[in-house]
Amino acid sequence: MRRAWGWILALVLVLLLAWAGYGAYQAYRVLASRVSALEAQVQAQGETLKALSERLGKVEEEVSKTPAPPISLPEAPEVSGGAAWPYVAGLLLVLLLAYLLLRFLRTPGKGAKEEAPPSSGEGQA
């Protein structure tokens, strides 16, 4: 009986190893197909880049053949003097408001009368 269990255990182990090997083989096939798809994509992109570089070369040749004026800095636009009166009026308004605010803070209110402080001798027992 012991011997049969050993064979059964060995058979199960072989089946598990075969199943794991088959899974690894399937994963390898999936990766191989991905790699071949990526290689085809890279090759197509390489061909596209070659075609674009050829077109760019042709455009550069055409541009170099056409006469063009020499490159120079653009002329600076003329600056017209803006009106200064809004700034002066704003400054005067700010100064007037500051003067009125300081004057209001310095003078006591019209309704408030100054009362003498109570003497310390009165009202204490």
Side-chain angles (χ1 to χ4, degrees):
M1 188 72 166
R2 277 184 143 197
R3 201 172 196 183
W5 279 109
W7 284 106
I8 292 174
L9 191 61
L11 182 63
V12 168
L13 183 63
V14 167
L15 286 175
L16 285 175
L17 285 175
W19 182 64
Y22 181 72
Y25 175 71
Q26 288 294 332
Y28 169 75
R29 285 183 53 194
V30 168
L31 288 176
S33 65
R34 276 184 169 175
V35 166
S36 64
L38 288 174
E39 285 175 347
Q41 193 176 18
V42 167
Q43 185 178 8
Q45 288 175 352
E47 291 173 3
T48 304
L49 284 175
K50 285 180 185 177
L52 286 175
S53 67
E54 289 174 5
R55 284 182 61 189
L56 181 64
K58 290 177 183 178
V59 169
E60 285 178 347
E61 286 177 17
E62 290 178 12
V63 167
S64 65
K65 288 180 183 178
T66 59
I71 297 175
S72 63
L73 293 175
E75 293 183 22
E78 292 184 23
V79 178
S80 62
W85 68 267
Y87 299 107
V88 173
L91 179 64
L92 289 176
L93 182 66
V94 167
L95 289 175
L96 178 66
L97 289 174
Y99 170 75
L100 292 175
L101 179 67
L102 289 175
R103 188 172 177 206
F104 176 74
L105 291 176
R106 282 189 191 167
T107 60
K110 290 181 179 180
K113 295 183 180 179
E114 293 185 25
E115 295 182 9
S119 62
S120 61
E122 296 175 7
Q124 287 185 358

